[in-house]
């Protein structure tokens, strides 16, 4: 069995995640048979009980407190920079961990000479392991010896697409990205903040914004962005006709996110 405490660091990014963070940490502590890996909690200026909760865990975790919400990718980069192990596991705070799953994911990464590996996030009978174009960012294992030359998260993506982008950059560099469906690390989902209307608008704004940033960075045809805009305009119109307020607000927020990038692009011309 590998000594996770010397081979691996954990990085969990939080934002008002106190309601799920304790369960996240305890899931690994309760299953560990040896010393825990170094565990960095990178907090994006939470205003809930995150700080007081973490104080109860003593030296099992180390809090890195950002003075403002820097976004997911930027916070991940801070945690990766603080780590001094070859392997770094990036985690959402609403994932359920076990020592055996982390061990198995690390074994799969090494055996397949991969730069990035991710587990199954939902229950499945599929036990395959295969190279993929991208992985969901809720759980990502990095081999820093391979990834240091590529770089990590592009900080222009505040939320969304940063996982797609980093996997594409790794693939473009000839590195392997593998989906290990034979390893289960469940992702509960929506564990960071209460989904108020303001939070929903913020989330969908960044979905739209990040979509266009990704398309621009990777030189996707203009028709891709045009279709995205057209689809959301139709959703907004249909939502108006059917009194679908939630669908209308989501589509409107995405279009605002798109517009924010297009305005910046026009301002640079």
């Amino acid at each position: 069995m590998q000594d996770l405490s010397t081979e691996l660091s954990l990085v969990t990014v939080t934002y008002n995640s106190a309601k799920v963070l304790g369960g996240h940490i305890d899931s690994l502590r309760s299953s560990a048979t040896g010393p825990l890996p170094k565990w960095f909690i990178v907090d994006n200026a939470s205003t809930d009980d995150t700080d007081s909760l973490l104080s109860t865990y003593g030296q099992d975790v180390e809090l890195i407190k950002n003075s403002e919400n820097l976004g997911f990718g930027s916070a991940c980069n801070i945690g990766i920079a603080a780590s001094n192990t070859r392997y770094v596991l990036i985690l959402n705070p609403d994932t359920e961990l076990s020592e055996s799953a982390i061990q198995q994911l690390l074994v799969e990464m090494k055996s397949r000479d991969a730069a990035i590996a991710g587990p199954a996030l939902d229950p499945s009978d599929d036990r395959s392991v295969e190279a993929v174009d991208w992985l969901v960012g809720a759980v990502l294992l990095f081999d820093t010896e391979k990834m240091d030359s590529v770089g990590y998260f592009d900080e222009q993506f505040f939320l969304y697409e940063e996982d797609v982008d980093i996997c594409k950059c790794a693939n473009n560099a000839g590195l392997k990205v593998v989906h290990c469906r034979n390893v289960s690390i469940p992702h509960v989902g929506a564990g960071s903040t209460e989904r108020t209307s303001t939070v929903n608008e913020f989330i969908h704004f960044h979905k739209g914004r990040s979509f266009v940033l990704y398309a621009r960075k990777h030189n996707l045809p203009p028709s891709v962005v045009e279709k995205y805009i057209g689809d959301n305009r139709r959703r907004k119109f249909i939502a108006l006709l059917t009194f679908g307020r939630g669908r209308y607000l989501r589509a409107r927020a995405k279009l605002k996110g798109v517009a924010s990038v297009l305005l910046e692009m026009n301002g640079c011309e």
Side-chain angles (χ1 to χ4, degrees), residues 198-256:
T198 301
V199 169
N200 273 326
E201 181 173 3
F202 179 85
I203 285 170
H204 289 282
F205 172 89
H206 281 288
K207 282 185 177 181
R209 179 175 173 82
S210 292
F211 181 89
V212 181
L213 289 172
Y214 180 88
R216 182 179 66 171
K217 177 177 179 178
H218 295 289
N219 299 311
L220 300 186
S223 58
V224 172
V225 174
E226 291 167 3
K227 182 179 185 303
Y228 186 83
I229 293 171
D231 287 347
N232 279 287
R233 282 176 174 166
R234 279 190 292 276
R235 290 188 187 107
K236 194 170 80 163
F237 178 70
I238 292 170
L240 275 176
L241 294 178
T242 58
F243 303 100
R245 176 174 169 78
R247 295 192 302 276
Y248 172 84
L249 293 176
R250 289 193 293 271
R252 186 181 71 172
K254 288 177 183 176
L255 290 170
K256 286 182 178 180

Side-chain angles (χ1 to χ4, degrees), residues 86-138:
R86 175 171 177 174
Y87 301 98
V88 180
L89 185 62
I90 299 293
L91 298 159
N92 275 19
D94 50 1
T95 51
E96 297 175 0
L97 307 174
S98 69
E99 182 183 67
S100 60
I102 295 174
Q103 288 274 6
Q104 190 179 0
L105 188 62
L106 187 55
V107 166
E108 293 289 357
M109 166 171 269
K110 291 178 178 179
S111 68
R112 296 169 193 279
D113 196 31
I116 308 176
L121 300 175
D122 298 300
S124 173
D125 294 330
D126 185 350
R127 307 290 291 171
S128 64
V129 180
E130 63 177 348
V132 294
D133 291 334
W134 67 280
L135 295 162
V136 176

Side-chain angles (χ1 to χ4, degrees), residues 183-197:
V183 180
S184 177
I185 299 181
H187 179 220
V188 178
S192 289
T193 55
E194 183 182 352
R195 288 296 188 95
T196 64
S197 59

Side-chain angles (χ1 to χ4, degrees), residues 49-189:
D49 296 328
T50 294
D51 292 12
S52 58
L53 170 69
L54 292 176
S55 68
T56 67
Y57 286 97
Q59 295 183 346
D60 281 356
V61 299
E62 179 176 329
L63 173 62
I64 300 175
K65 185 79 173 179
N66 295 327
S67 60
E68 60 181 309
N69 188 350
L70 300 177
F72 180 75
S74 295
C76 287
N77 288 344
I78 289 170
I80 293 168
S83 306
N84 60 6
T85 54
R86 175 171 177 174
Y87 301 98
V88 180
L89 185 62
I90 299 293
L91 298 159
N92 275 19
D94 50 1
T95 51
E96 297 175 0
L97 307 174
S98 69
E99 182 183 67
S100 60
I102 295 174
Q103 288 274 6
Q104 190 179 0
L105 188 62
L106 187 55
V107 166
E108 293 289 357
M109 166 171 269
K110 291 178 178 179
S111 68
R112 296 169 193 279
D113 196 31
I116 308 176
L121 300 175
D122 298 300
S124 173
D125 294 330
D126 185 350
R127 307 290 291 171
S128 64
V129 180
E130 63 177 348
V132 294
D133 291 334
W134 67 280
L135 295 162
V136 176
V139 183
L140 292 176
L141 178 61
F142 292 119
D143 180 342
T144 63
E145 284 194 5
K146 299 181 186 302
M147 287 299 297
D148 278 350
S149 62
V150 176
Y152 296 95
F153 291 96
D154 186 337
E155 297 183 6
Q156 72 174 320
F157 300 105
F158 187 90
L159 277 177
Y160 299 105
E161 303 297 341
E162 67 282 307
D163 46 8
V164 183
D165 175 69
I166 196 170
C167 291
K168 181 171 179 58
C169 291
N171 277 315
N172 287 350
L175 300 174
K176 289 184 182 178
V177 178
V178 294
H179 191 189
C180 306
R181 297 186 183 90
N182 59 335
V183 180
S184 177
I185 299 181
H187 179 220
V188 178

